[in-house]
Amino acid sequence: MDELIKLLRERLPAEALVTDPDVTASYANDMAGFCEAGTPAVVVLPRTVEQVQHVMRTATALRVPVVPQGARTGLSGAANASDGCIVLSLLKMDRIIEIDPVERIAVVEPGVVNAVLSRAVAEHGLCYPPDPSSWEQCTIGGNIGTASGGLCCVKYGVTAEYVLGLDVVLADGRLLTTGRRTAKGVAGYDLTRLFVGSEGSLGVVVRAVLALRPAPAEQLVLAAEFPSVAAACEAVRQIMQRGHAPSLLELMDGTTVKAVNSMAKMGLPESTEALLLAAFDTPDPAPDLAAVAALCTAAGATEVVPAEDPAESELLLQARRLSLPALERLRPATMIDDVCVPRGRLAAMLEGTAAIGRAYGLTIAVCAHAGDGNTHPVVCFDPADPDEARRARESFDEIMALGLELGGTITGEHGVGLLKKDWLAREAGPVAMEMQRGIKAVFDPLGLLNPGKVL
């Protein structure tokens, strides 16, 4: 360790190195449960590309593992430290280098917070659509690493669709530039997409060229209450089948609705077993809202409440934003799953999850980006109770198995990390895993980058 610190200090300022064990311990893990974390040897907070290159060259010379990190808001253990590693925190690389309204791009460093970028481009009449729930804390680098999504993905898509090009420091310290700044470009293999979602296992993203869009009109929201999740999911199916393009289509099951009601006194009927929120951000959303209201009523909604203006829309969306804080009040801990299924199997996913909760004697609530089929089952449990913790972990695995049975995927936007590593092999199959390991070996032959994650 002494040699490691000595070599790092040769080209890093003193403030970039953290060696105090009490401080380095605070960088040991992200927000995932049931994921082991090791003890880092040192935390490095670089401010320049050259400093990142020096870290990787040092790590390669000494064969020391490196764990890249952003804001550690992830939910898969992808940012967890390994014993003796260098934690490479990119938080200090937080410059918005360029915003070009003509090309509709932004060039940013990885430590830029999602919400900060969104506000900056809004000043130019533009928007950066990917909006994870943690957008006030999470960084662009972390979003790229996990290929994160958000509430607006049903209309605007996920992070991968907005990353045009990257600068990446490879394991041996070389700087690789991928992609383009142009609206189109198909030259060679798409290395940019390869890095998006790689969770820091192939290289360290140090700069990104991001696509922007014209800022849409403020959205108007409709809330529909249903007596069953099956009825709400039928409404989702009809909305998508009829060709509507909502900017948001979110579903909360009855357990979530009751938890939010209890915390925020929102006045939702206790008989509500599912709440569906639909929004449109077109210049004139009234026709779409009216059509969706009619579809919800036909599917069995007991009440449909359209917002009159953006302020009222925000009040309706508050219920969705309070979902996780409300569920966290039910038990000492929560574990958030991230299974995505075809939209037509959404009802089966929610009903199956409820059955798993009953079988394991646990409260398992579900919030869903319904328009994407992306469900977030939330397992509520007491980690101090060994039996309850065991049941929570087993139920989590049952939910992933259910998602695969329904033709879905084990993760829609949170990534694999440590938490779902074993499940990736089940979903991808042996041939795909062989190819992925081969790709890893090309970019990181010594296995130093985020070891033990993903594969």
Side-chain angles (χ1 to χ4, degrees), residues 353-415:
T353 298
I356 291 170
R358 291 191 295 270
Y360 281 89
L362 296 168
T363 296
I364 303 180
V366 181
C367 309
H369 306 313
D372 302 324
N374 192 178
T375 68
H376 291 308
V378 181
V379 182
C380 305
F381 68 102
D382 183 357
D385 182 334
D387 182 66
E388 192 166 316
R390 174 191 60 79
R391 286 183 281 127
R393 181 64 215 231
E394 290 179 4
S395 70
F396 189 89
D397 286 344
E398 289 282 348
I399 291 167
M400 284 191 285
L402 173 63
L404 291 181
E405 289 170 13
L406 295 174
T409 176
I410 58 169
T411 176
E413 56 188 8
H414 292 171

Side-chain angles (χ1 to χ4, degrees), residues 165-216:
L166 296 170
D167 283 357
V168 183
V169 174
L170 300 177
D172 60 7
R174 289 178 295 165
L175 182 64
L176 168 69
T177 297
T178 76
R180 62 194 194 278
R181 292 172 57 100
T182 55
K184 293 180 179 179
V186 293
Y189 296 130
D190 193 347
L191 297 181
T192 303
R193 280 290 185 104
L194 187 60
F195 282 100
V196 179
S198 65
E199 302 182 29
S201 64
L202 300 179
V204 182
V205 172
V206 290
R207 189 168 298 175
V209 180
L210 305 174
L212 306 175
R213 289 196 176 198

Side-chain angles (χ1 to χ4, degrees), residues 37-297:
T39 302
V42 61
V43 173
V44 181
L45 295 101
R47 290 184 180 272
T48 69
V49 173
E50 292 74 19
Q51 290 173 4
V52 175
Q53 290 180 285
H54 175 62
V55 170
M56 294 312 307
R57 290 177 184 133
T58 301
T60 294
L62 298 181
R63 304 299 194 263
V64 177
V66 177
V67 177
Q69 286 185 353
R72 293 180 290 112
T73 58
L75 293 164
S76 68
N80 283 17
S82 55
D83 283 333
C85 76
I86 300 169
V87 163
L88 184 59
S89 172
L90 286 307
L91 289 176
K92 300 292 186 181
M93 296 182 69
D94 60 356
R95 293 184 303 143
I96 298 175
I97 298 167
E98 178 185 358
I99 297 173
D100 188 331
V102 176
E103 303 302 334
R104 294 180 180 173
I105 61 170
V107 182
V108 305
E109 292 183 327
V112 173
V113 171
N114 186 295
V116 171
L117 175 62
S118 295
R119 294 183 185 115
V121 301
E123 295 178 6
H124 298 268
L126 299 169
C127 76
Y128 178 66
D131 62 340
S133 295
S134 59
W135 77 305
E136 292 281 6
Q137 294 86 36
C138 64
T139 62
I140 296 299
N143 295 167
I144 292 170
T146 57
S148 59
L151 299 183
C152 74
C153 294
V154 62
K155 181 175 182 178
Y156 293 105
V158 296
T159 296
E161 295 167 62
Y162 293 88
V163 182
L164 299 178
L166 296 170
D167 283 357
V168 183
V169 174
L170 300 177
D172 60 7
R174 289 178 295 165
L175 182 64
L176 168 69
T177 297
T178 76
R180 62 194 194 278
R181 292 172 57 100
T182 55
K184 293 180 179 179
V186 293
Y189 296 130
D190 193 347
L191 297 181
T192 303
R193 280 290 185 104
L194 187 60
F195 282 100
V196 179
S198 65
E199 302 182 29
S201 64
L202 300 179
V204 182
V205 172
V206 290
R207 189 168 298 175
V209 180
L210 305 174
L212 306 175
R213 289 196 176 198
E218 289 190 276
Q219 63 184 1
L220 287 183
V221 178
L222 171 149
E225 300 168 16
F226 291 87
S228 69
V229 293
C233 291
E234 175 59 20
V236 171
R237 196 179 72 83
Q238 289 294 331
I239 291 166
M240 302 307 293
Q241 183 175 306
R242 300 298 178 91
H244 294 288
S247 55
L248 173 149
L249 192 57
E250 296 289 303
L251 187 150
M252 299 158 56
D253 72 357
T255 302
T256 307
V257 171
K258 291 176 177 62
V260 170
N261 248 350
S262 174
M263 184 178 80
K265 314 299 181 190
M266 300 196 74
L268 296 170
E270 288 296 307
S271 59
T272 300
E273 289 301 324
L275 181 69
L276 186 66
L277 298 169
F280 291 88
D281 60 4
T282 53
D284 181 14
D288 280 309
L289 287 173
V292 167
L295 291 175
C296 288
T297 300

